[in-house]
Amino acid sequence: MSRGSNQKFKFTYLMKVMLEKTDDEHSLTMPQILEELYKYGVSAERKSIYEDFKDMANFGIEIIKEQKGRETFYHIAGRDFELAEVKLLIDAVQSAKFITQKKSKTLISKVKGFVSEHQAKQLQRQIFINDRVKTMNESVYYNVDDIHTAINQNKKIKFKYYKWDINKKLIERHGGIYFVVSPWALLWDDENYYMIAFDDWDKKIKHYRVDKMMYIEVCNDERAGKDEFKNFDMAKYSKATFGMYHGEKTKVCIRFANHMCGVFIDRFGKDIIFISKDENHSELVVDINISPQFFGWIFSLGNDVEIISPREVVDELREYTKEFIKKYE
């Protein structure tokens, strides 16, 4: 058999054929394998293919041989990602609000490369990027990379921070000055990406929406805030900060009907302590960043939930409610 034009790439193309064309439910016969290689300008003999199959095992790619009647079939035994796992990855990409629709389609296309073309067709049937709100800042994908670079290099970053105006345009905050902070972590909360950083000027830990950050640059100055982040608990920070809005952190006692307990476990985790008050009611104490978003969450839970203490938070909620009702009188 004459040698093909891409003969030196035989092993590479053979792996490509087996990964793309075969899986647990789809196999190829040896003539079919040779035919697929020929499409890439590669000719081969059966014996050399058998040797290549053995070599593939060194790369973690096992080829299963299966006899069906008079024909012998070959297929990939397993993959780094199972079909169900790839479906989960695609679901995560689709649901992430901080990834634009354009970038979502690009990422999904790449993720589909983890499975065979037959399995990819199953994924295609389930892929649906709906009209939910997605960020319009295409650079968020690269912002995350820049922030990681700064964290790994122990450097500060500078960036411009934006907000929406009534004309649905992003405008610069604080007159377009550069924010300079020390990034320490990235947090995905409530379908948005946030950078957790230390602000030298205010000597505080703050957070910023990554999709509202632009013109990011890694600075030469080393990060500040090492002591503040030494014992920083990201989980507690996320639980206490409703909607990622700033507010004064306060220990709040909440009384609730026992059938509402799942709401608080979902929000604060299973480590919270319920204190029984009577047969049908319990209380818990949690650290909360007091904000209108927190009050709105309490309202949404209805009459079976009540803030008990501290008194200043109860009074603040009462005043907030009065002002809210005035608008509808």
Side-chain angles (χ1 to χ4, degrees):
M1 182 179 291
S2 60
R3 300 178 64 83
S5 58
N6 285 328
Q7 202 64 31
K8 61 182 179 180
F9 300 118
K10 178 170 73 74
F11 186 79
T12 301
Y13 281 122
L14 180 59
M15 283 201 297
K16 178 179 174 65
V17 167
M18 299 306 293
L19 288 169
E20 291 183 354
K21 301 290 183 180
T22 74
D23 53 50
D24 289 336
E25 297 179 356
H26 300 85
S27 304
L28 293 175
T29 64
M30 186 57 69
Q32 289 172 330
I33 293 173
L34 296 176
E35 182 180 350
E36 291 296 330
L37 286 175
Y38 187 76
K39 294 177 182 178
Y40 292 107
V42 174
S43 61
E45 296 179 353
R46 290 172 178 263
K47 186 177 180 180
S48 68
I49 298 296
Y50 298 144
E51 293 300 318
D52 287 338
F53 283 166
K54 293 179 182 179
D55 292 336
M56 284 185 189
N58 296 326
F59 289 88
I61 301 175
E62 183 182 359
I63 304 298
I64 298 297
K65 176 182 177 181
E66 187 177 7
Q67 195 72 32
K68 297 179 182 179
R70 294 184 176 181
E71 293 190 291
T72 305
F73 291 83
Y74 304 87
H75 71 271
I76 293 289
R79 297 171 181 272
D80 291 337
F81 292 91
E82 297 177 6
L83 182 60
E85 294 172 329
V86 175
K87 288 181 178 179
L88 286 176
L89 292 175
I90 288 177
D91 287 343
V93 171
Q94 290 182 147
S95 64
K97 191 166 61 175
F98 64 87
I99 305 177
T100 65
Q101 287 204 10
K102 179 181 177 182
K103 183 57 68 176
S104 292
K105 292 178 180 177
T106 300
L107 288 174
I108 289 171
S109 178
K110 292 179 179 179
V111 169
K112 285 163 62 179
F114 292 143
V115 298
S116 72
E117 60 182 26
H118 307 287
Q119 294 171 325
K121 290 178 181 177
Q122 296 182 44
L123 296 174
Q124 189 61 44
R125 286 195 291 270
Q126 80 157 30
I127 291 173
F128 174 72
I129 299 178
N130 58 21
D131 292 330
R132 61 182 295 140
V133 175
K134 279 215 172 227
T135 178
M136 284 175 271
N137 181 1
E138 184 70 23
S139 65
V140 63
Y141 190 73
Y142 306 101
N143 289 353
V144 170
D145 189 53
D146 289 337
I147 294 169
H148 273 302
T149 297
I151 292 174
N152 292 334
Q153 294 181 358
N154 195 36
K155 301 295 185 182
K156 294 181 180 180
I157 64 169
K158 57 185 273 189
F159 59 94
K160 291 190 176 184
Y161 205 38
Y162 286 73
K163 63 180 180 180
W164 293 107
D165 68 5
I166 194 63
N167 296 313
K168 300 180 181 179
K169 292 183 179 180
L170 283 173
I171 60 173
E172 298 173 335
R173 287 178 177 267
H174 301 321
I177 65 169
Y178 273 95
F179 287 58
V180 180
V181 299
S182 300
W184 284 89
L186 281 161
L187 172 67
W188 186 359
D189 185 90
D190 193 26
E191 301 183 359
N192 289 303
Y193 238 141
Y194 296 87
M195 177 187 68
I196 314 300
F198 183 75
D199 187 326
D200 285 32
W201 183 263
D202 289 335
K203 303 299 179 183
K204 290 182 180 179
I205 294 175
K206 296 183 178 180
H207 48 259
Y208 305 84
R209 278 268 298 268
V210 175
D211 59 305
K212 302 293 178 62
M213 299 167 60
M214 297 186 187
Y215 308 110
I216 296 178
E217 294 181 30
V218 179
C219 303
N220 292 323
D221 297 335
E222 290 191 358
R223 292 183 299 175
K226 182 177 180 179
D227 291 338
E228 286 75 7
F229 276 90
K230 185 179 298 182
N231 299 311
F232 182 72
D233 191 320
M234 183 67 74
K236 287 184 178 180
Y237 185 83
S238 177
K239 291 174 184 176
T241 312
F242 279 74
M244 300 305 293
Y245 284 85
H246 289 293
E248 183 178 353
K249 183 175 291 187
T250 307
K251 288 189 179 296
V252 176
C253 178
I254 303 173
R255 180 175 295 171
F256 58 94
N258 287 341
H259 67 86
M260 297 291 290
C261 66
V263 173
F264 298 99
I265 294 174
D266 288 341
R267 178 71 228 190
F268 301 107
K270 294 174 67 176
D271 291 336
I272 56 175
I273 298 174
F274 293 148
I275 303 169
S276 178
K277 304 307 293 184
D278 58 45
E279 185 178 350
N280 298 312
H281 296 84
S282 299
E283 293 180 359
L284 77 156
V285 177
V286 288
D287 289 325
I288 298 293
N289 284 6
I290 304 303
S291 68
Q293 288 70 37
F294 168 62
F295 293 148
W297 183 71
I298 290 293
F299 288 153
S300 72
L301 299 180
N303 294 328
D304 288 333
V305 175
E306 176 186 3
I307 296 179
I308 301 300
S309 65
R311 174 52 52 185
E312 57 266 26
V313 174
V314 175
D315 291 341
E316 187 176 347
L317 175 58
R318 183 180 291 112
E319 290 302 314
Y320 181 84
T321 305
K322 286 180 181 178
E323 293 299 318
F324 182 82
I325 292 175
K326 282 182 182 179
K327 297 180 179 180
Y328 297 93
E329 291 179 343

